[in-house]
Amino acid sequence: MKTTLLSLFCLIAVSAMAGNYEVSSPNGKVKVVVNTDEAVKWSVSYNGQTVLQPSVIDIQLRQGKKAFGLGQVGKVAKHRVESSFRNPFYKKAEISDAYGQLLMYTNQKFTIEVRAYDDGAAYRLISTNTKPSLVVNETAEFCFADDYQAFVPYVNDNRGGERYCYSFESYYDEAPLSKMFCDSLAITPLAVCLPAGMKAIVMDAGVENYPGMFVKEAKSGEVKSEKLVAEFAPYPLEQEIGGYDRLNLVPTKRADYIAKLDGRQSLPWRAVVITERDADILNCDMAQRLAPACRIADTSWIHPGKVAWDWWNNCNITGVDFASGMNTNTYLYYIDFAAKNKIEYVIIDEGWSGKESLMEDLNPEIDLPRVIAHGKENGVGIILWSSWRNLIGSNPLNDIKVTDEVMKHYADMGIKGFKVDFFDRDDQQVIASAYKIAESAARYHLYLDYHGLKPFGIQRAYPNIFNFEGVKGLENSKWEPRVGDGPLHNQPRYDVTAPYLRMLAGPMDYTPGAMMNAMKDNFFGNNGHPMSQGTRVHQMAMYTTFEAPLQMMADSPTKYMQNQECTDFIAQIPTTFDETVALDGQLGEYIVIARRKGTTWYVAAMTDWTPRDLTISLDFIGEGTHSADIFADGVNAQKDATDYKHSTQTVTSNDRLNLHLSSGGGWTAIIR
């Protein structure tokens, strides 16, 4: 990392002095004002337009019988910082981190750090108190000037009926802020549509040893204004095995506080991303900037890639002389398929291990040493599924002994990592556990794919964590019900909403790649033989659009071999990139994006159920003559979603391409 501190000056040095303190972004568009007259409040504007009205920042703590809060602000320092850092496991190789900064010191041993970026603003509280304390609550408000339209992902499908035990997967309710369900929690990122096409996206970032942030609607008491307030899962005191298929640890008793602080600690960031142009959200680095720096000294062993996956396609392979399923022959076959198509990994999902252990009662139908050896011989790594509670020994506060034992055992056998499923919580215990697991995995050079969690910053600290679920991905098509003349949920609209919002927080394990594709009139949920909503090329475009250093190929080897032309194209697309260019897009409607790896460009476009004609400039590809390998929706794709057209053409940076996207369609190209 390189950092330049351009200016430093003390604004005020008198304890308990009230007033307004301002800081602006490097380009001057974003301005944050912190007022300390009665309570500490921050407000944010963009080009003079109000984004957040004064919103309270506070915290309530307890040390024994002593209760205290944030305290009064004394000294305030103002900086301008220009910084950058590299990340080879991201959508771009180098990330700029330039901002205006306020540091405000209180008489209760807290520092309030405020940053103004060109594309948003953020603050966090830093405790410098060396004594242990309990965080009873934290007050974080986001007050908007009017009853704006919002995209809200609500908490639903709670595990065991517990309010804060949830998979972090939700479709988006689109309604004015005033219509938010007052008894419901929402997860972040959450988008608010400001005037003139601007967006404000509320999120948290850099969460460590602290619960994640939910938000809910609360009337502000001011005319027309609407307020979102934070809520946090209280600290778990007791828990039991339960939830879906008894795979979870569900809290049965929670404390009257949300976190334990053992001493000095930085709390998570509360942020709002601001954009004039929706497409720019696709290239925003706020989550990366606010995350902890990488903690793995040598990352040379970390190799992202694609993975052949068994669960979505139900191990449906045909034309073989053995019964397919959770058995040795099936996984040898998956490995051969992966090797032939230069796919780096194979996942063995749920069913290889015992229900209550990763070390005992293993499936006798799978000769794991033989499978691992065959993978090694063919250059294909094996990743194993695990529930979170089995990996930690059903004890979130464990000393990592159980986790280390499992990690070492399977690393010695030669596996490459674990897909860890059913966290389904983000209270302080679970967040701490996620860090412990990542540290243990890094010790043994193992990769991780976290399910039942949204990304919260740990992925930069531990880049051996490739993916997070927390997304309504392709698996939902297996049980999607029909209502009237089509599916209940508008999946293509979600597909062009989640990249702007859910993906803003970090990579998402959507698991794309369906080769059975359907329009609304002929789609139906089928667990054993699943299909996708939208066109074949809509699925293919996901490999460039969706960020996932470990990107799934969800369909079966049989389906991919029957569609080898599409498979050959997908297999060429990297899972991390050197540069990203957001070309065009509208939240919930369509996306056009380009990513570069080395000298090759990967371009993709996706739409909702609305057909679209788009034009893109190729001015980003550089000088000279290039060859474009293109997949587009076929002329009959609206009748048969599998229809596509494959072509090649010569292009230059002076060219403009006309794209036609069918209903639920897509377009994608590799330009060399």
Side-chain angles (χ1 to χ4, degrees):
M1 174 187 282
K2 54 184 180 183
T3 303
T4 304
L5 188 65
L6 294 184
S7 61
L8 165 64
F9 56 91
C10 196
L11 290 178
I12 203 155
V14 180
S15 179
M17 180 73 74
N20 283 338
Y21 306 99
E22 296 184 3
V23 64
S24 296
S25 62
N27 68 4
K29 289 188 175 182
V30 174
K31 183 171 76 171
V32 181
V33 177
V34 181
N35 180 273
T36 61
D37 286 340
E38 296 178 357
V40 177
K41 296 183 179 182
W42 75 319
S43 57
V44 182
S45 62
Y46 184 92
N47 259 355
Q49 178 178 326
T50 298
V51 176
L52 291 182
Q53 293 184 322
S55 304
V56 173
I57 300 171
D58 204 357
I59 193 168
Q60 298 81 45
L61 300 101
R62 190 167 69 228
Q63 289 178 348
K65 295 183 179 180
K66 177 187 175 184
F68 61 102
L70 191 57
Q72 294 178 310
V73 173
K75 292 183 179 180
V76 177
K78 186 174 181 180
H79 300 166
R80 182 180 168 195
V81 177
E82 287 189 1
S83 178
S84 65
F85 57 92
R86 295 188 63 79
N87 188 344
F89 311 109
Y90 186 49
K91 63 188 175 188
K92 60 184 69 168
E94 180 138 347
I95 299 95
S96 172
D97 193 17
Y99 53 89
Q101 180 193 60
L102 282 178
L103 294 174
M104 312 178 74
Y105 304 93
T106 80
N107 62 354
Q108 290 291 357
K109 297 185 178 180
F110 271 94
T111 301
I112 309 167
E113 181 179 2
V114 181
R115 293 184 183 179
Y117 287 95
D118 288 345
D119 56 359
Y123 76 85
R124 66 175 172 179
L125 305 179
I126 304 170
S127 172
T128 57
N129 198 318
T130 57
K131 295 181 180 179
S133 59
L134 301 176
V135 181
V136 177
N137 194 29
E138 180 190 342
T139 303
E141 294 184 348
F142 303 88
C143 298
F144 292 93
D146 210 336
D147 187 16
Y148 299 128
Q149 186 81 355
F151 285 70
V152 182
Y154 286 108
V155 170
N156 53 56
D157 190 25
N158 299 78
R159 305 305 191 194
E162 210 275 336
R163 179 171 173 82
Y164 306 99
C165 196
Y166 170 61
S167 67
F168 304 93
E169 301 174 21
S170 183
Y171 293 107
Y172 293 92
D173 277 38
E174 300 173 35
L177 288 167
S178 64
K179 301 298 183 183
M180 286 182 65
F181 301 116
C182 60
D183 60 347
S184 298
L185 297 176
I187 54 178
T188 62
L190 178 156
V192 177
C193 304
L194 303 177
M198 290 175 55
K199 301 292 188 298
I201 304 174
V202 174
M203 63 185 293
D204 59 351
V207 184
E208 182 173 7
N209 194 34
Y210 202 82
M213 182 179 74
F214 298 97
V215 294
K216 59 185 179 182
E217 192 263 355
K219 299 296 180 185
S220 68
E222 300 177 19
V223 177
K224 288 188 176 182
S225 62
E226 294 291 335
K227 178 166 64 176
L228 299 176
V229 295
E231 184 170 326
F232 304 91
Y235 191 86
L237 297 176
E238 298 175 6
Q239 48 208 326
E240 65 182 14
I241 295 172
Y244 174 75
D245 202 22
R246 290 176 50 80
L247 288 168
N248 299 108
L249 282 176
V250 179
T252 56
K253 183 179 180 181
R254 291 188 181 269
D256 62 351
Y257 52 86
I258 64 172
K260 298 178 179 180
L261 302 185
D262 294 329
R264 300 174 185 270
Q265 180 176 328
S266 297
L267 275 58
W269 292 93
R270 316 298 172 210
V272 56
V273 170
I274 308 164
T275 61
E276 296 180 76
R277 176 177 173 263
D278 284 6
D280 291 337
I281 303 170
L282 301 168
N283 205 15
C284 177
D285 301 314
M286 189 68 78
Q288 278 284 310
R289 300 180 198 129
L290 301 180
C294 182
R295 295 175 184 174
I296 300 176
D298 176 15
T299 60
S300 61
W301 55 273
I302 301 176
H303 300 291
K306 283 188 284 298
V307 56
W309 183 39
D310 57 353
W311 183 86
W312 189 81
N313 59 75
N314 207 29
C315 293
N316 281 328
I317 53 178
T318 59
V320 296
D321 58 2
F322 58 86
S324 64
M326 299 290 293
N327 57 52
T328 301
N329 285 333
T330 296
Y331 290 106
L332 296 179
Y333 188 86
Y334 270 78
I335 289 167
D336 290 342
F337 162 75
K340 181 179 179 181
N341 291 278
K342 299 181 180 179
I343 299 166
E344 293 87 345
Y345 304 102
V346 166
I347 280 184
I348 303 179
D349 214 281
E350 182 182 8
W352 69 272
S353 67
K355 192 73 174 177
E356 300 297 327
S357 173
L358 299 177
M359 305 287 280
E360 300 175 356
D361 302 320
L362 305 188
N363 185 343
E365 298 297 316
I366 300 176
D367 185 343
L368 198 54
R370 182 182 173 192
V371 170
I372 294 169
H374 189 66
K376 185 175 182 180
E377 290 168 5
N378 289 275
V380 177
I382 303 300
I383 296 171
L384 301 175
W385 179 94
S386 168
S387 69
W388 167 63
R389 74 173 178 87
N390 276 350
L391 190 58
I392 64 170
S394 298
N395 179 10
L397 298 180
N398 73 83
D399 60 3
I400 218 64
K401 180 179 179 181
V402 172
T403 306
D404 259 4
E405 180 184 2
V406 171
M407 295 288 186
K408 183 179 188 307
H409 174 77
Y410 286 104
D412 288 346
M413 284 184 67
I415 75 154
K416 295 298 183 181
F418 283 96
K419 172 183 172 181
V420 187
D421 212 343
F422 293 99
F423 283 85
D424 292 357
R425 290 161 45 192
D426 70 345
D427 50 51
Q428 186 183 30
Q429 284 186 4
V430 174
I431 294 296
S433 176
Y435 276 88
K436 287 182 179 180
I437 292 169
E439 182 181 5
S440 176
R443 247 191 315 274
Y444 299 105
H445 288 192
L446 294 176
Y447 311 140
L448 295 168
D449 176 4
Y450 280 172
H451 276 222
L453 272 181
K454 64 173 185 174
F456 48 89
I458 189 175
Q459 65 270 23
R460 181 180 164 202
Y462 291 98
N464 58 319
I465 305 175
F466 285 151
N467 287 3
F468 297 77
E469 194 182 29
V471 63
K472 283 289 187 184
L474 194 64
E475 69 173 9
N476 291 272
S477 67
K478 290 167 73 76
W479 48 78
E480 176 68 20
R482 284 187 68 85
V483 176
D485 62 353
L488 174 62
H489 296 103
N490 184 340
Q491 192 70 30
R493 184 167 179 83
Y494 181 82
D495 295 343
V496 291
T497 303
Y500 293 95
L501 300 181
R502 160 60 184 81
M503 203 165 73
L504 180 61
M508 58 185 197
D509 200 5
Y510 182 99
T511 69
M515 294 289 107
M516 290 180 64
N517 320 105
M519 291 289 108
K520 285 190 286 187
D521 61 348
N522 54 21
F523 173 89
F524 63 94
N526 186 317
N527 188 70
H529 296 273
M531 63 186 71
S532 69
Q533 295 184 42
T535 70
R536 168 71 57 78
V537 184
H538 185 87
Q539 288 287 309
M540 295 175 67
M542 292 176 177
Y543 286 90
T544 293
T545 304
F546 293 168
E547 295 171 34
L550 184 71
Q551 186 60 279
M552 303 285 172
M553 293 182 67
D555 221 323
S556 72
T558 299
K559 289 289 192 300
Y560 286 125
M561 288 187 291
Q562 290 170 347
N563 296 276
Q564 192 64 48
E565 186 176 51
C566 300
T567 303
D568 289 343
F569 183 91
I570 292 170
Q572 297 177 66
I573 301 174
T575 62
T576 59
F577 298 89
D578 298 325
E579 182 181 358
T580 290
V581 179
L583 298 175
D584 195 6
Q586 188 71 39
L587 173 63
E589 297 184 15
Y590 68 98
I591 289 169
V592 189
I593 197 164
R595 304 190 194 275
R596 178 181 59 81
K597 187 77 167 184
T599 59
T600 302
W601 282 94
Y602 304 83
V603 189
M606 297 168 60
T607 184
D608 60 0
W609 284 124
T610 304
R612 297 184 194 277
D613 290 294
L614 305 170
T615 301
I616 61 170
S617 169
L618 296 182
D619 56 2
F620 57 88
I621 65 174
E623 296 180 357
T625 300
H626 303 259
S627 175
D629 187 12
I630 299 170
F631 279 77
D633 292 327
V635 67
N636 293 306
Q638 287 192 234
K639 293 181 178 180
D640 182 346
T642 65
D643 188 34
Y644 66 87
K645 180 181 179 181
H646 183 197
S647 63
T648 58
Q649 68 182 84
T650 300
V651 296
T652 72
S653 60
N654 295 319
D655 290 334
R656 296 172 66 84
L657 295 183
N658 297 317
L659 319 183
H660 174 72
L661 280 63
S662 181
S663 174
W667 183 95
T668 187
I670 299 175
I671 303 175
R672 294 182 171 87

